[in-house]
Amino acid sequence: MRPRIVTANSAATPAYSPWIRLSHYSYDFNVGFTCEPQQGATGTYTVQVTQANPEDFRKAKYSRVTTTLTVTCIGNDFHGLVAADGVNLRGTPWDNTGGTCLEVASATNTTVFTITVADTGPTAGSLEYAPLPLQPLTSYSAVSGKQQGTVVGGTEMLRIAKASGDSLSGKVNLRVVQAGY
């Protein structure tokens, strides 16, 4: 994988970078990352990962009221998601399998979650979803300057986020390099 760079901007909504999707066909690879706060950035930010396969799709039903898409698992499936986790959808007008994941707005229970989508398209039907639960790696201080780290093992995606308790003001670049073991 060639190095990729994304930026978390605290002035944007939401205040996290796009996901950097890694090669999930090579689970034994390590991932090196560097966080570089831009001039004037202050506060703290968190590097987040997901170790779930973004192409591990499961069947579900959905209903949509305005911009709220409610997804209900089928059978004995439990989604394992909480608010702010990621999810990929397939088989709907809101298909996002092109590289970015949608954010879970809420998890009503173990079989129902909601996502905010465009107020267009069908109001009910079937879809496939791939859950991407988040795992925060660590929080960093922007005023400490450049920070480096490594994730060992089957990481699927990384991003920088202004997570709960973080106080980021400004922008931070995330540079990711996937390397062999």
Side-chain angles (χ1 to χ4, degrees):
M1 175 183 154
R2 294 184 314 184
R4 296 259 329 269
I5 300 173
V6 294
T7 301
N9 181 357
S10 67
T13 302
Y16 51 78
S17 72
W19 284 100
I20 294 180
R21 190 171 182 175
L22 305 172
S23 172
H24 64 275
Y25 296 110
S26 303
Y27 285 105
D28 293 330
F29 279 28
N30 296 333
V31 178
F33 64 88
T34 302
C35 301
E36 299 177 46
Q38 294 182 8
Q39 186 173 5
T42 60
T44 58
Y45 58 92
T46 301
V47 175
Q48 297 175 332
V49 300
T50 182
Q51 294 178 329
N53 184 337
E55 296 176 8
D56 183 18
F57 287 96
R58 306 170 183 182
K59 296 187 182 304
K61 300 282 186 187
Y62 72 87
S63 62
R64 182 184 59 80
V65 176
T66 62
T67 61
T68 300
L69 184 74
T70 301
V71 178
T72 304
C73 302
I74 295 174
N76 294 327
D77 185 25
F78 300 105
H79 55 71
L81 298 167
V82 297
D85 279 350
V87 67
N88 278 346
L89 298 182
R90 182 167 68 184
T92 73
W94 312 284
D95 183 305
N96 66 316
T97 56
T100 61
C101 69
L102 297 170
E103 184 173 321
V104 173
S106 67
T108 308
N109 57 46
T110 59
T111 60
V112 177
F113 62 93
T114 64
I115 303 167
T116 302
V117 296
D119 188 7
T120 61
T123 57
S126 297
L127 59 75
E128 293 181 315
Y129 77 97
L132 301 166
L134 295 179
Q135 298 175 348
L137 286 179
T138 189
S139 289
Y140 294 106
S141 170
V143 295
S144 296
K146 186 186 294 187
Q147 303 287 329
Q148 295 180 326
T150 302
V151 183
V152 179
T155 302
E156 294 290 340
M157 296 188 285
L158 281 90
R159 74 177 179 186
I160 291 179
K162 182 178 174 182
S164 176
D166 288 337
S167 58
L168 177 63
S169 176
K171 297 180 181 180
V172 179
N173 294 330
L174 173 65
R175 177 186 305 263
V176 174
V177 178
Q178 190 167 3
Y181 55 97

